Amino acid sequence: VTRALTEYIAYRTPHCVAFAAELLARGYHLWFPYILDRQRLIRDLLIHAETSSTVEKTQDADDHSNKGFHRTLSVSAACQRALIEIGTKQPLDFLKTVGREAIRPDVKQDHHKRALSALAALVRKQPVALVNHLPAVVEVIIRTLDPSESALRKACLKSSTYVLLSLVKRYPMVAFQQHTQRFAVGSIDSIIIIYDLRTATKWRILEGHTSPVTALCFENNTGERIASYASHEGSVRLWQSGTAGIFATILGIKGKCIKKFQVEPVPSGIPVLKQLQNVSIHWEKRKVKLTKEDKKVVTFDI
């Protein structure tokens, strides 16, 4: 059955694609162990993800209020649902394939945009699926912004920016500083990686936390300092990320922790989605304000 479904999607007629993608989306938890070439499946789904075709689906009388009916099935919507299910169940395979498709030189620019749109959809709809892989997500986007690939950067800039802003909106351990065009992401490996979006390179790596980074934010004005929170470690840290010039040369790529505050660790067992929804940290002039998983607010004088 699984082989037939994947072949129908590759066959590329609207009826075959729509119904096969819909079945995959609804039962991917059953099908996925038997799919031998997931990368090809993801590529085929991306091709149809922006298709405007629709097909009529007939449902039997016994299935809907004792009378038959027709409903329109969107090829694009079915493929997008299937991509979401794949990304939720197998995020690393999804990221690997989408990342490759986003920079493929032998496809049209619309294909790059479709790959980024699929990633943005997964961020919006299933943020928990990617929370352990955020540095890999950011790397996918950064590769599309390489200044040495000017045509690719120009074509993907709008879509890439949308994905980055979606990450900031969904994940408290991701932050963006408009003035400096720096983008920071905290990882489950207890480090913070700062990217320079203008050059599409790593700007700083901040090491010091001993548990996954739960939230972070740039200082409002200059972005030269970062506040970060690690809930299991029970600490808030302030970092000097550095600026261009003599200090940056001395500092190198490693940032410096300039202050540490202890906070009461949160109890274990809090759902990840609740953490993403409740936790935040931000600067208020000379204070840093932390909202914890239980929505308790703690303020630190800088």
Side-chain angles (χ1 to χ4, degrees):
V1 174
T2 303
R3 180 180 178 182
L5 292 176
T6 56
E7 288 180 352
Y8 283 153
I9 291 174
Y11 190 54
R12 299 183 181 179
T13 63
H15 278 83
C16 291
V17 173
F19 292 126
E22 185 73 10
L23 286 173
L24 278 171
R26 294 189 179 194
Y28 191 74
H29 62 289
L30 299 175
W31 310 125
F32 83 91
Y34 308 102
I35 297 175
L36 301 180
D37 192 347
R38 283 186 288 273
Q39 294 184 19
R40 179 189 171 188
L41 173 60
I42 293 171
R43 287 197 301 268
D44 289 337
L45 289 168
L46 285 173
I47 290 172
H48 302 291
E50 299 298 328
T51 301
S52 59
S53 302
T54 58
V55 297
E56 293 295 322
K57 179 180 178 182
T58 301
Q59 191 156 325
D60 295 335
D62 292 340
D63 293 336
H64 191 267
S65 302
N66 296 322
K67 66 177 182 178
F69 75 101
H70 296 272
R71 75 177 180 92
T72 300
L73 180 62
S74 165
V75 176
S76 173
C79 290
Q80 290 172 9
R81 283 192 290 272
L83 286 167
I84 291 293
E85 291 302 317
I86 295 172
T88 301
K89 193 70 178 178
Q90 295 166 305
L92 289 178
D93 283 349
F94 179 87
L95 288 173
K96 181 179 179 179
T97 306
V98 166
R100 185 181 296 114
E101 296 302 302
I103 59 173
R104 271 181 62 182
D106 60 334
V107 295
K108 295 181 179 180
Q109 294 177 352
D110 285 347
H111 188 75
H112 301 148
K113 296 176 184 177
R114 282 196 293 269
L116 292 169
S117 294
L119 180 54
L122 186 59
V123 169
R124 293 194 315 271
K125 297 179 180 181
Q126 294 291 344
V128 174
L130 295 174
V131 72
N132 290 338
H133 311 292
L134 290 175
V137 176
V138 176
E139 285 288 344
V140 167
I141 306 164
I142 290 296
R143 285 196 292 269
T144 69
L145 298 175
D146 186 350
S148 66
E149 300 288 344
S150 57
L152 176 65
R153 182 183 173 104
K154 182 177 180 181
C156 294
L157 184 59
K158 186 175 180 180
S159 298
S160 298
T161 300
Y162 178 73
V163 182
L164 291 174
L165 293 178
S166 296
L167 289 171
V168 173
K169 184 177 180 180
R170 287 290 186 273
Y171 300 100
M173 64 287 290
V174 175
F176 173 62
Q177 218 287 329
Q178 178 78 32
H179 177 69
T180 60
Q181 288 293 296
R182 305 264 163 73
F183 192 89
V185 56
S187 77
I188 61 170
D189 297 321
S190 310
I191 65 172
I192 299 168
I193 305 170
I194 307 174
Y195 293 88
D196 186 334
L197 297 184
R198 293 170 296 190
T199 60
T201 57
K202 289 180 181 178
W203 172 253
R204 292 285 182 267
I205 296 176
L206 310 180
E207 297 178 315
H209 280 299
T210 58
S211 71
V213 179
T214 312
L216 58 83
C217 67
F218 284 97
E219 186 179 16
N220 296 332
N221 297 325
T222 64
E224 293 181 12
R225 294 187 295 178
I226 286 180
S228 62
Y229 166 57
S231 59
H232 294 299
E233 175 187 331
S235 77
V236 168
R237 292 175 184 256
L238 304 184
W239 306 83
Q240 179 70 56
S241 62
T243 58
I246 296 176
F247 181 77
T249 303
I250 296 173
L251 191 62
I253 196 171
K254 297 293 182 67
K256 179 182 179 182
C257 179
I258 56 178
K259 206 163 190 179
K260 178 181 177 182
F261 303 94
Q262 290 299 132
V263 296
E264 184 180 352
V266 299
S268 59
I270 297 178
V272 175
L273 185 58
K274 187 175 181 180
Q275 294 180 37
L276 297 180
Q277 293 171 339
N278 292 350
V279 176
S280 67
I281 188 169
H282 62 273
W283 295 75
E284 291 185 350
K285 295 184 179 179
R286 296 189 60 81
K287 297 179 183 291
V288 169
K289 185 176 180 180
L290 169 68
T291 303
K292 300 174 63 178
E293 288 82 348
D294 54 7
K295 296 187 177 181
K296 291 182 179 179
V297 177
V298 186
T299 303
F300 306 93
D301 292 320
I302 306 305

